[in-house]
């Protein structure tokens, strides 16, 4: 007969990788930094088994999207700027 008051077994919680958290934050603050740190974090996550893969990928994606939307207007205006200042 099993004890109805028995506690369920405690499962250990995987720690979240610090670089993955930093990648997410940098993705919004310094976008290219989020991409770089996220790309560094992914192999580290595979090697250590820590949690945070989604954070690292989100940091990469957000950093890349913000970088593109920051650089794209400058590239589109470049021919006009060259024409004006020539």
């Amino acid at each position: 007969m099993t004890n109805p008051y028995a506690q369920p077994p405690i499962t250990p919680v995987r720690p979240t990788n610090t670089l993955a958290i930093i990648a997410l934050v940098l993705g919004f603050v310094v976008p290219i930094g989020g991409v770089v740190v996220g790309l560094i974090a992914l192999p580290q996550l595979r090697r250590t088994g820590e949690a945070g893969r989604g954070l690292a990928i989100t940091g990469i994606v957000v950093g890349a999207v913000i970088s593109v939307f920051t650089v794209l207007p400058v590239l589109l205006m470049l021919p006009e700027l060259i024409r004006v200042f020539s």
Side-chain angles (χ1 to χ4, degrees):
M1 183 166 184
T2 59
N3 183 354
Y5 302 108
Q7 296 291 323
I10 298 173
T11 57
V13 177
R14 291 187 310 165
T16 303
N17 185 282
T18 305
L19 284 180
I21 297 169
I22 293 171
L24 179 63
V25 172
L26 285 179
F28 289 100
V29 179
V30 183
I32 195 69
V35 173
V36 171
V37 174
L39 290 172
I40 293 170
L42 285 177
Q44 191 179 64
L45 288 167
R46 270 186 249 123
R47 189 175 60 249
T48 62
E50 293 176 310
R53 186 170 190 273
L55 296 174
I57 292 172
T58 303
I60 293 168
V61 170
V62 168
V65 168
I66 291 175
S67 294
V68 166
F69 283 122
T70 303
V71 173
L72 190 62
V74 174
L75 292 177
L76 292 175
M77 291 179 358
L78 197 59
E80 184 64 23
L81 291 172
I82 292 171
R83 187 188 67 76
V84 168
F85 290 111
S86 292

